[in-house]
Amino acid sequence: MKQTTLILLLLLVVQCTHEPIIQEDCPPGVISFQEEILPLIKTNCGTPGCHGGAFPEDGLRLDSYASIMRKVKPNNPEDSKLYRVLFETGEDQMPPSPMGVFSAAQKNLIYQWIAQGAEKTTCHVSNCDTIGNPSFASVQQVIDLHCISCHRTNNPAGNVKLDTYADVKTAVTNQGLIQSLQGQYGFKQMPPSGPISDCHMAILERWVGAGMPQ
Ligand code: HEC
C-alpha cells in the first residue's frame, strides 16, 4: 500500500515538471521563442564560461526568457541591446572571436521576434518544407539558423565545416552530421544546447534520404 502511494506521488511529480508535449503549430510567420529563439541564444551566448553557468560574464545571463528580456525592448529591435550587439565588431564582437558572428538568417530571426513583441511564444515550428523535391537551399537555411556560427570555414568547431554544399555533404558522409542531431552513436549532441525542432530535423533527414541533391 505504501509503495503504491509512493509511486503515485512520483508519477505526479514527473508529470508536473514536464512541459506540455503537444504544442500548437505556429501561425504563419510567427516566431517560436521556445523552439527558435531560446535554443539559438542559449547555444551561442548562454553557455558556461559565457553568459551562462555559475558565473556568467559581466553578470549577464542569457539562458532563459526572463534573463534575455533584460536586453530586449519589445516591438523595437533597433533599440534592443540583444539585437544591436550582433553588429558590433572588433573587441566588442558578439559572440566574440574565435566564435563566429551570427548569420544574416540568425540576425533576422531575432529581429522578427522582437518586432513581433518579443513574447514567450511556445508554438511548434511547423512550416516544414516537405512538399516537392528536397533541395540544398532549405538545408542551408536550417544550417544558417542553427549551426553556421560555430562551423564556419575560418574557424570550424570540431573541424566540421558547414559553409558550402560540398562541406555539408562531407559532414553527413564522414562526420556524423545526422547522428549528431540527436547525439546518437557516440556523436556529440548538436547544437550543444539541445535538439533542433522536428520540422528542421525533417528537412535535413529528407534531403539526406533523397541522396543529398544540390
Ligand atoms: C555553439 C557552437 C556550436 C553550434 C551552434 C553547433 N556546433 Fe557542432 N560542434 C561544436 C563543437 C565545439 C564541436 C566539437 C565537439 C567536440 O569534439 O568535443 C562540434 C562538433 C560537431 C560535429 C562532430 C561531432 C562529433 O561528435 O564528432 C558535427 C557533425 C557537428 N558539430 C554538426 C553540427 C550541426 C549540424 C549543427 C547545427 C544543427 C551544429 N553542429 C551546431 C559547436 C557547435
Side-chain angles (χ1 to χ4, degrees), residues 9-214:
L9 261 175
L10 273 175
L11 274 175
L12 211 67
V13 170
V14 168
Q15 277 182 344
C16 292
T17 52
H18 271 68
E19 295 274 296
I21 293 167
I22 298 165
Q23 304 282 11
E24 294 274 318
D25 285 349
C26 294
V30 170
I31 313 257
S32 173
F33 173 77
Q34 194 63 33
E35 290 197 0
E36 300 179 275
I37 301 297
L38 184 60
L40 178 64
I41 294 181
K42 237 174 130 172
T43 316
N44 288 287
C45 324
T47 50
C50 299
H51 298 292
F55 305 102
E57 194 71 27
D58 291 339
L60 170 61
R61 190 172 273 293
L62 290 172
D63 55 5
S64 67
Y65 181 74
S67 60
I68 289 168
M69 286 310 285
R70 292 175 55 201
K71 296 290 162 189
V72 169
K73 294 225 169 89
N75 302 308
N76 200 345
E78 306 285 357
D79 222 16
S80 296
K81 191 80 185 153
L82 184 76
Y83 178 69
R84 292 168 61 108
V85 79
L86 302 176
F87 296 87
E88 299 280 10
T89 52
E91 270 186 17
D92 296 330
Q93 181 194 305
M94 280 296 146
S97 187
M99 281 183 70
V101 292
F102 277 17
S103 65
Q106 291 171 323
K107 287 176 184 161
N108 186 46
L109 192 73
I110 303 228
Y111 184 96
Q112 295 299 336
W113 171 68
I114 298 175
Q116 287 173 9
E119 286 174 38
K120 196 179 178 181
T121 38
T122 58
C123 60
H124 181 60
V125 179
S126 59
N127 52 337
C128 274
D129 180 14
T130 49
I131 305 160
N133 296 325
S135 71
F136 181 63
S138 48
V139 166
Q140 199 157 30
Q141 280 176 12
V142 173
I143 288 180
D144 278 358
L145 270 180
H146 298 288
C147 322
I148 198 68
S149 45
C150 298
H151 288 285
R152 283 201 180 85
T153 299
N154 52 6
N155 186 39
N159 212 22
V160 175
K161 297 176 194 163
L162 298 175
D163 293 87
T164 65
Y165 170 75
D167 291 337
V168 177
K169 213 171 158 183
T170 302
V172 170
T173 315
N174 302 327
Q175 297 178 300
L177 188 152
I178 293 296
Q179 292 80 352
S180 75
L181 296 175
Q182 315 251 25
Q184 284 173 327
Y185 308 113
F187 290 94
K188 296 265 161 62
Q189 167 68 53
M190 286 295 137
S193 63
I196 59 178
S197 69
D198 293 348
C199 169
H200 288 166
M201 219 175 284
I203 289 174
L204 297 180
E205 286 174 351
R206 196 165 164 269
W207 177 72
V208 172
M212 299 190 265
Q214 200 149 9

